Amino acid sequence: MSPTAILVGCAELPSGDGDDDAVVPALSSLGFSVSWAPWDAPVDFSSADAVILRATWDYAARRAEFLSWCESVPSLFNSAAVVRWNTDKSYLVELLDAGVPVVPTSLVEPGSPASFPSSDFVVKPSVGAGSRGAARFAGGADASAHVAALHAEGHPALIQPYQSSVDTSGELALVYLGGVYSHAFTKGAILASTMDESGLYLPEKLAPASPPADAVAVAEDVLDAASALLGILRAELLYARVDLVRGADGKPLLLELELAEPSLGFRQADPAAATRFASAVRQQLA
């Protein structure tokens, strides 16, 4: 009997945004019966051999409900524990404390006062997807109103110095499948972009990339540190996307580690990337 795989989207994007189109035939070629479904659809997800989060980008407004659903799915990738940890960007502080080179990050809990950098900075919600709620401010600006608005949603706010390298070289995203490097792509600055018509994400200018050695080294350290914090092996992560930027000294810094529902840039990757993904799914089931 063929193994079954459900790729999971949301009501606004029930079959994703197109980036995963090559994944369906790749999984089918390895013997999977594949379908798409929104995470909150009346579907028996427990009967599938693999339930793979791909475009569940409405979770931020319904995180408690989404996490409860995740915990009800036996064969979820990545696991519910990983999703819970990674959908709150407070994990950046944990990685910073673990010695990972992270963009300096201050966590402001609801009810706590905030202090703002003298240089340009970004304020973002600790729970959010697609850069929703993130805003850039000039150095010395008072962003208290924006912090208060994020606190009103019940989550901490993150304050980070703006990395000017994003304006010239954007971000570098390194994709790992089954804990092993697969491909990379660049992402342009998006804080001033217009939201996609779905209202769930900001479109990005993406392009294939060959990551330099120092970026790969940092990405490897990030995955090792995250796996240690989660108490798992790297190979247990079906997918991971490590987003890096260059700091003022030119060295790579972690901006975000995406382990829950990231776009994996298959449209910017070599044609074999979707097959590597399908093979990694089989590895997880084995």
Side-chain angles (χ1 to χ4, degrees):
M1 186 174 179
S2 298
T4 55
I6 301 177
L7 306 179
V8 187
C10 57
E12 294 82 356
L13 294 167
S15 55
D17 68 346
D19 188 61
D20 296 298
D21 285 356
V23 166
V24 174
L27 283 166
S28 297
S29 71
L30 296 188
F32 284 89
S33 175
V34 189
S35 61
W36 276 91
W39 66 270
D40 55 355
V43 172
D44 182 12
F45 291 99
S46 64
S47 66
D49 296 290
V51 178
I52 305 167
L53 301 177
R54 295 310 312 122
T56 55
W57 297 335
D58 63 349
Y59 78 83
R62 307 162 60 190
R63 182 169 179 261
E65 181 185 355
F66 176 65
L67 291 177
S68 177
W69 173 83
C70 288
E71 289 165 354
S72 75
V73 179
S75 299
L76 187 72
F77 298 100
N78 287 322
S79 73
V82 170
V83 172
R84 178 177 292 278
W85 182 78
N86 191 239
T87 51
D88 186 329
K89 293 182 178 63
S90 302
Y91 73 80
L92 289 169
V93 177
E94 294 184 52
L95 289 172
L96 191 62
D97 291 343
V100 173
V102 178
V103 170
T105 301
S106 299
L107 183 67
V108 184
E109 298 285 352
S112 299
S115 59
F116 305 108
S118 57
S119 59
D120 287 8
F121 61 96
V122 174
V123 179
K124 62 179 69 173
S126 67
V127 175
S131 293
R132 293 193 304 277
R136 177 181 173 180
F137 296 88
D142 184 357
S144 299
H146 190 64
V147 171
L150 298 180
H151 283 170
E153 297 177 0
H155 302 295
L158 299 181
I159 301 174
Q160 298 174 318
Y162 184 74
Q163 304 301 307
S164 60
S165 65
V166 172
D167 294 329
T168 55
S169 55
E171 304 171 24
L172 176 64
L174 292 86
V175 176
Y176 287 75
L177 303 175
V180 178
Y181 172 77
S182 173
H183 58 278
F185 57 96
T186 56
K187 306 193 295 175
I190 62 174
L191 288 178
S193 299
T194 301
M195 191 70 74
D196 174 78
E197 63 182 15
S198 70
L200 295 178
Y201 65 94
L202 291 167
E204 301 166 304
K205 295 181 179 179
L206 308 179
S210 296
D214 62 346
V216 174
V218 168
E220 294 281 334
D221 288 344
V222 167
L223 284 184
D224 286 346
S227 299
L229 288 168
L230 288 163
I232 62 175
L233 299 174
R234 269 177 51 169
E236 294 178 57
L237 296 171
L238 171 59
Y239 51 80
R241 197 185 81 198
V242 185
D243 294 346
L244 304 177
V245 295
R246 295 279 171 180
D249 60 359
K251 295 180 180 179
L253 297 171
L254 176 68
L255 183 63
E256 289 195 12
L257 170 63
E258 298 276 10
L259 303 178
E261 32 56 64
S263 291
L264 296 174
F266 288 114
R267 286 178 289 196
Q268 286 70 48
D270 63 280
T275 300
R276 291 194 292 273
F277 180 86
S279 179
V281 174
R282 283 184 54 135
Q283 172 191 332
Q284 298 297 317
L285 299 187

